Amino acid sequence: MSKKQKCLFRRGTSVVAGLVCACAAAIFPTSTLEAQARWQEIGPEGGFVVSFGQDPNRPARLYTGTIARGIFFSDDDGDSWSNTDLRSGPPVRILTAGTGAAQASTGDGVYAGIGVDVFHSANGRTGWSSTGLMASSTVTAIGLDARFAYAGTSTGLYRLDSTGWNRIGEDPPIGDGHIRAFHHAADGTLYVGTNQGLFKTNDGGESFSPIAPDLFEDVYAIAADPGSNELFVFNLTPRGLYRSQGGGSGSWTLLTDNLPLTNRLQSVSVQPHPSGRALYAVTNGSLLQSTDLGASWQLLDVDYSDRFAAIGIFADRTTPGVLYAPGGLGLARSFDSGETWSLANRGRRALTLDDYVLADSTPPTIYASSTQGYVYGTRDGGPSWDLLAQPEIEPSARLAVDPRSPDTLYRGVSAAVLRSDDGGETWTTPDMSLFCNIVSTLAIAPSNPDILYAQGYPLATACVLGQPQACYTHRSLDGGQSWSCIAEIGPTATRLTVDPRDSDRVYALSRSALFRSDDGGGSWGSLTQSLEIPFLDFVLDPSNPDILYLTNEDGLFRSSDRGATWVRWELEPSPGPFTALAVHPQKTDNLYALAGDRTLWSTDSGRTWRALAGEPADLGLRGPLRIESRQPGQPDRLYAGTAGAGVVRRTAPVETECTPGAQTLCLGGPSGDRFEISVDWRDFQGRTGQGQGLYLPNGPGAFWFFHPDNIELAVKVLDGRPVNGHWWVFFGSLTNVEFTLTVTDTTTGLVQQYFNPLRNFASRGDTRAFDDSSLFLAGSSDFTAEATGATSPVESMMLIPAGAALAETAAEGGCAGDTTSLCLSDRFRLRVTWQDFQDRTGTGQAIPLTDDTGSFWFFAPSNTELLVKVLDGRPVNGHWWVFFGSLTNVQFTLTVEDLATGEQRDYVNPSRNFASRGDTRAFDS
């Protein structure tokens, strides 16, 4: 029996519902749950900033250069940020004159160094183009003066003039030195810091003069006091920050005897200060200040700067006391000369993820770690994030969350797995650390979350040599409080996965093999000796964990026996390597994958795939992919990690079957079960209820409110995508009580609701109800596996035989209907004539439904256009009542004839109108 036959169609005698005369009112759609058909960035905001700049002509315009998302700009002093259109997938290093990031120069626009080239934009936002440098080594600094742009690399210095880029400074004293810093002084002098010393030029680079060659051998940073001609230079050999008056022509004084320089000074700046002038410096990621020209130094906002990992400190060009510090968390800003700091990251999402996990909560709790080792958390699904942890010894953090509690979080770092029981607010270190380990992957046993598995790799070569007994694969039986060594897997695992039914069955994926242990890690066996490497991702089928999926650079493998045997599905054409894979937790025929810059969707367990729309190239999609299964009526969501945009989320389309029920109809789609339809009503006495569903013989659905013999509403869903890219919803009511019709697209999760107020008869055709035209990537091909028997059975749809109903109706009384007329209440004959938009005419074809209700189709038997009923309202007002609701907007005339009296009524619907009416004085008794 088909699903639709389970909803029985009942026939019987007429019952009068509580109806009154109609008054003019309009039906309108209520709020719509928008399907996020494209990837949406949900944070965290921030990301590692490697460079900063301020436009000298528009001081409110700031620039930040990020590792993997290109350049961001702000026009409000950093209060909000937007991407420029200069974006890059590989790591981006952006450095320019004076500021080390991006600087505007009158008439010259903005220059940015990325890789071995320099890019230019006239407005600093759009229209970036290569200047054609293409140096032999990476650009490390950019400088500008009134006439030229300069690019420093690790092997030399270049100048951009009207002829293009030309090598300069090849003769001594610059030679082939590593160019580290530029400073353009107010008098036009250009200072250049290299690994061979400090130099200056006053003629645009035609000639260079060394400055204090006996003192400087390796210059890293240059700064100048904007109110004087003092120059400040940080030199690595000998180490120290030096000051000179006269633009470097005077004597030099060492300022940093009291500054603990354990590494190179990363940045230095000078700015007016309430005490006179202040020097600011960054060393080892810490922010420091001196108000006595280096005689003494103090850390600024110690708690903040220690976890910020600043790479520079820059003074605002126009506002004393305002400082900017880029670093691992983004851009920090101070308005009080560095006493306090806050992040200025709104809109600047440039985070490269190391890992993220979803906790089982509503709204979802998400934890994410960046490749710099910071850990963030959100409890509202992404609008707001908190920083939960800073980097440990190594900038890496693998995450795992207890399925029983969203607040219990594990964080794998160097030599330990840390645990938090308060959502990352505080962390505890277990008694037994995983010495010599950098934890590379963590897994929790779903059937017993106190059992965890961890694998790592050596912290350093010295560990391998000095601790030959060190173990790199561990298990904990007490929630991470203690760890025991288990059998070594061999290659470092990129993914550990525990069978949800058996805490002792664990899988370990490496680039070269997939292993399985059935004894809690006591021993491991390879499952992939005959499969081609390298392997990229591995997942279990949540409903049947014996089914495994494995990807490599050329294909997709499936096993139904825990990896004992595999079937390879070679897709034609090849979509490219599947770098990440996910299986829907309930509808496990639905698989999702990342292949290059595309997101793919399969509805048949991976045999065929379609490319989904909505993959901005600059997101850097990288996985893992995870599914959040939402509440009924809400769309499922697909999450992905990125190499430059934090966590991203989109609606997960699901090829699923609507489940019909007493109050639920399933209509539309290839199998007639894509759209879930229900209705809620409220009558004139304030009583409420849910409509009870019926399937009409020729395709549409209907609902009754008060009695199964009294149909109140008919609805149909048509595939209008060939016309306008949308699914269409048509409905017509035979009632004027208040109701809300809810239609849910089970594939996209999109919901439309239509509200009808009291005393209104509603009929409507919504030809833009559901849009899935953007679901698939335009012009994409289907990727189909070369396999036999890879088809899914489709249940045939059976309808109630219309002929049987006609015969039964004709036998019940003297009024006999035929193919073009209905006979209702054994007294009234109804006919319909129609005229379409091309002026073609015809007669409606009749389908009786109950003794008092029937329908007509105009163009095809499967497409009902009009529903009509005649009720005996004489006990109420002495009249017979005629109600009709149209599912069409072509012109038609409904003719109702009272065979007892010969009286006739014509109801005319004009072209392009959806008619619904209740005539409670149609015929006298």
Side-chain angles (χ1 to χ4, degrees):
M1 178 179 292
S2 70
K3 290 182 179 179
K4 292 190 174 179
Q5 285 179 301
K6 296 176 183 177
C7 273
L8 300 179
F9 185 88
R10 299 184 181 181
R11 307 181 71 247
T13 58
S14 173
V15 175
V16 178
L19 300 174
V20 298
C21 60
C23 62
I27 190 164
F28 50 91
T30 62
S31 60
T32 299
L33 175 63
E34 295 293 339
Q36 297 178 352
R38 297 178 179 271
W39 287 109
Q40 307 288 321
E41 299 175 42
I42 62 172
E45 292 180 318
F48 205 111
V49 174
V50 295
S51 50
F52 169 83
Q54 185 176 26
D55 189 329
N57 302 309
R58 292 169 294 180
R61 167 71 67 85
L62 307 178
Y63 294 94
T64 55
T66 65
I67 286 182
R69 196 82 190 279
I71 299 176
F72 287 80
F73 73 92
S74 171
D75 280 326
D76 51 17
D77 298 302
D79 287 340
S80 62
W81 295 86
S82 300
N83 255 127
T84 71
D85 63 1
L86 181 60
R87 307 181 186 184
S88 177
V92 176
R93 303 291 299 186
I94 302 171
L95 306 114
T96 63
T99 63
Q103 175 175 319
S105 176
T106 303
D108 290 334
V110 178
Y111 294 84
I114 300 180
V116 297
D117 202 0
V118 174
F119 293 80
H120 172 262
S121 169
N123 61 20
R125 298 175 60 177
T126 60
W128 292 87
S129 60
S130 168
T131 60
L133 172 61
M134 303 308 292
S136 59
S137 57
T138 301
V139 174
T140 55
I142 295 177
L144 296 173
D145 63 19
R147 294 180 295 168
F148 305 113
Y150 302 87
T153 72
S154 59
T155 56
L157 178 64
Y158 298 83
R159 182 182 68 192
L160 179 63
D161 55 30
S162 59
T163 65
W165 287 100
N166 295 284
R167 183 78 176 265
I168 60 175
E170 293 185 83
D171 295 329
I174 289 185
D176 292 329
H178 186 153
I179 310 300
R180 304 190 191 278
F182 290 103
H183 174 69
H184 181 212
D187 63 2
T189 301
L190 181 69
Y191 295 89
V192 183
T194 80
N195 66 342
Q196 298 183 15
L198 177 66
F199 303 90
K200 69 177 181 179
T201 177
N202 296 102
D203 54 15
E206 294 297 323
S207 61
F208 287 87
S209 302
I211 299 176
D214 295 335
L215 178 62
F216 297 120
E217 297 181 14
D218 201 350
V219 173
Y220 264 87
I222 309 170
D225 185 345
S228 68
N229 200 23
E230 288 180 304
L231 198 65
F232 298 84
V233 174
F234 173 72
N235 191 52
L236 187 61
T237 308
R239 187 183 305 248
L241 177 64
Y242 295 82
R243 165 181 169 239
S244 173
Q245 296 182 335
S249 61
S251 59
W252 291 87
T253 303
L254 179 64
L255 304 178
T256 53
D257 283 338
N258 299 318
L259 181 63
L261 296 176
T262 59
N263 204 333
R264 71 178 178 88
L265 189 97
Q266 295 162 277
S267 176
V268 62
S269 63
V270 187
Q271 179 167 308
H273 187 270
S275 64
R277 287 176 298 167
L279 281 173
Y280 297 93
V282 176
T283 180
N284 298 334
S286 296
L287 305 174
L288 303 107
Q289 179 192 70
S290 174
T291 57
D292 53 13
L293 293 181
S296 61
W297 294 85
Q298 62 179 0
L299 286 171
L300 296 175
D301 197 353
V302 175
D303 291 339
Y304 181 78
S305 62
D306 279 353
R307 62 189 171 97
F308 182 62
I311 55 93
I313 188 167
F314 304 97
D316 187 275
R317 291 176 175 270
T318 59
T319 308
V322 177
L323 299 171
Y324 302 95
L329 287 176
L331 183 70
R333 182 174 57 181
S334 173
F335 296 101
D336 53 12
S337 299
E339 292 298 320
T340 59
W341 295 83
S342 60
L343 289 173
N345 285 335
R346 187 164 67 89
R348 219 185 47 74
R349 292 172 174 164
L351 197 72
T352 298
L353 285 187
D354 189 47
D355 195 13
Y356 76 98
V357 290
L358 303 178
D360 187 10
S361 62
T362 302
T365 297
I366 309 173
Y367 300 102
S369 65
S370 74
T371 52
Q372 289 76 41
Y374 299 99
V375 178
Y376 306 82
T378 175
R379 294 183 180 275
D380 54 13
S384 60
W385 293 78
D386 295 316
L387 180 65
L388 303 177
Q390 63 191 55
E392 295 295 320
I393 300 173
E394 294 291 329
S396 176
R398 309 306 294 179
L399 302 175
V401 63
D402 191 321
R404 300 167 301 187
S405 169
D407 289 334
T408 301
L409 177 66
Y410 297 90
R411 169 180 163 221
V413 296
S414 298
V417 173
L418 309 183
R419 172 174 169 153
S420 173
D421 290 307
D422 53 13
E425 294 295 326
T426 60
W427 298 86
T428 58
T429 304
D431 294 335
M432 178 182 176
S433 296
L434 284 66
F435 63 93
C436 274
N437 274 251
I438 296 179
V439 177
S440 61
T441 183
L442 277 174
I444 293 179
S447 60
N448 184 354
D450 288 330
I451 298 178
L452 289 84
Y453 294 86
Q455 201 203 15
Y457 56 90
L459 183 62
T461 303
C463 277
V464 178
L465 298 177
Q467 300 285 346
Q469 77 281 8
C471 175
Y472 301 100
T473 309
H474 294 82
R475 182 175 67 166
S476 173
L477 301 177
D478 54 10
Q481 296 305 307
S482 62
W483 294 86
S484 58
C485 185
I486 57 177
E488 292 295 330
I489 297 172
T492 300
T494 59
R495 176 76 59 85
L496 291 173
T497 305
V498 185
D499 190 311
R501 303 164 303 183
D502 185 349
S503 61
D504 285 335
R505 181 173 296 121
V506 57
Y507 296 86
L509 176 69
S510 74
R511 296 278 290 179
S512 59
L514 175 67
F515 300 91
R516 189 184 79 212
S517 173
D518 294 325
D519 54 7
S523 60
W524 299 88
S526 175
L527 305 176
T528 53
Q529 295 92 332
S530 61
L531 305 184
E532 299 89 346
I533 61 172
F535 300 116
L536 302 178
D537 202 6
F538 164 76
V539 293
L540 302 176
D541 183 323
S543 66
N544 181 3
D546 291 341
I547 297 176
L548 318 179
Y549 293 93
L550 177 65
T551 71
N552 70 359
E553 291 190 348
D554 297 317
L556 176 69
F557 302 91
R558 184 179 188 271
S559 172
S560 58
D561 51 16
R562 304 178 195 166
T565 60
W566 296 88
V567 175
R568 177 174 178 173
W569 289 338
E570 294 192 25
L571 300 175
E572 294 293 341
S574 173
F578 280 24
T579 55
L581 197 64
V583 182
H584 194 281
Q586 287 86 36
K587 308 298 183 180
T588 55
D589 285 342
N590 289 259
L591 272 62
Y592 310 86
L594 299 180
D597 60 352
R598 291 179 295 193
T599 307
L600 306 183
W601 174 36
S602 171
T603 61
D604 53 11
S605 301
R607 295 174 177 86
T608 60
W609 297 82
R610 293 291 304 275
L612 298 176
E615 287 76 22
D618 64 298
L619 290 181
L621 295 171
R622 63 186 292 177
L625 285 175
R626 306 191 195 279
I627 299 284
E628 176 202 3
S629 185
R630 303 282 285 171
Q631 300 296 318
Q634 300 288 320
D636 294 335
R637 288 173 173 173
L638 184 66
Y639 292 79
T642 70
V647 181
V648 294
R649 178 178 65 200
R650 65 175 298 155
T651 294
V654 183
E655 187 67 30
T656 184
E657 294 179 349
C658 164
T659 303
Q663 294 90 31
T664 303
L665 295 179
C666 300
L667 299 174
S671 301
D673 54 11
R674 172 168 172 171
F675 293 90
E676 181 180 277
I677 303 171
S678 62
V679 63
D680 297 282
W681 56 263
R682 183 172 71 91
D683 68 11
F684 298 103
Q685 289 75 43
R687 294 171 298 191
T688 60
Q690 289 185 297
Q692 306 298 300
L694 303 169
Y695 288 102
L696 301 185
N698 56 340
F703 291 92
W704 61 269
F705 296 172
F706 309 106
H707 193 279
D709 297 325
N710 191 8
I711 295 175
E712 308 287 4
L713 181 66
V715 60
K716 66 182 179 182
V717 180
L718 299 180
D719 187 356
R721 291 177 298 177
V723 179
N724 69 345
H726 291 70
W727 289 88
W728 301 353
V729 173
F730 296 83
F731 62 90
S733 70
L734 304 176
T735 182
N736 64 347
V737 303
E738 177 184 304
F739 65 82
T740 299
L741 176 67
T742 301
V743 185
T744 302
D745 184 347
T746 61
T747 294
T748 64
L750 185 65
V751 176
Q752 287 283 11
Q753 289 187 317
Y754 304 93
F755 174 73
N756 181 56
L758 277 171
R759 306 181 188 281
N760 182 61
F761 285 92
S763 183
R764 172 145 186 212
D766 185 355
T767 58
R768 303 187 67 86
F770 295 96
D771 178 13
D772 65 2
S773 60
S774 61
L775 183 60
F776 298 109
L777 191 64
S780 68
S781 303
D782 289 339
F783 306 99
T784 305
E786 292 183 353
T788 59
T791 58
S792 298
V794 178
E795 184 178 4
S796 62
M797 184 173 64
M798 300 180 65
L799 301 177
I800 299 172
L806 278 171
E808 186 178 353
T809 301
E812 287 183 356
C815 176
D818 54 34
T819 57
T820 60
S821 65
L822 290 174
C823 189
L824 301 182
S825 297
D826 199 24
R827 173 171 172 171
F828 297 92
R829 179 181 287 119
L830 293 83
R831 292 186 174 90
V832 176
T833 59
W834 54 264
Q835 179 178 333
D836 68 10
F837 301 116
Q838 288 76 43
D839 294 328
R840 294 172 296 193
T841 60
T843 301
Q845 304 298 296
I847 303 244
L849 301 175
T850 71
D851 285 344
D852 52 34
T853 307
S855 65
F856 290 91
W857 61 268
F858 296 172
F859 308 108
S862 62
N863 191 9
T864 295
E865 308 286 4
L866 182 64
L867 197 70
V868 61
K869 68 182 177 183
V870 179
L871 298 180
D872 187 355
R874 290 176 296 179
V876 179
N877 68 347
H879 291 76
W880 289 88
W881 301 350
V882 174
F883 297 88
F884 66 88
S886 69
L887 304 175
T888 182
N889 64 347
V890 302
Q891 177 179 311
F892 66 82
T893 298
L894 169 65
T895 298
V896 184
E897 180 184 2
D898 185 347
L899 298 180
T901 66
E903 190 177 2
Q904 180 175 301
R905 292 281 186 272
D906 289 333
Y907 302 93
V908 179
N909 179 59
S911 181
R912 304 187 188 280
N913 181 61
F914 286 91
S916 186
R917 182 174 176 184
D919 184 356
T920 58
R921 303 184 68 85
F923 297 95
D924 292 334
S925 59

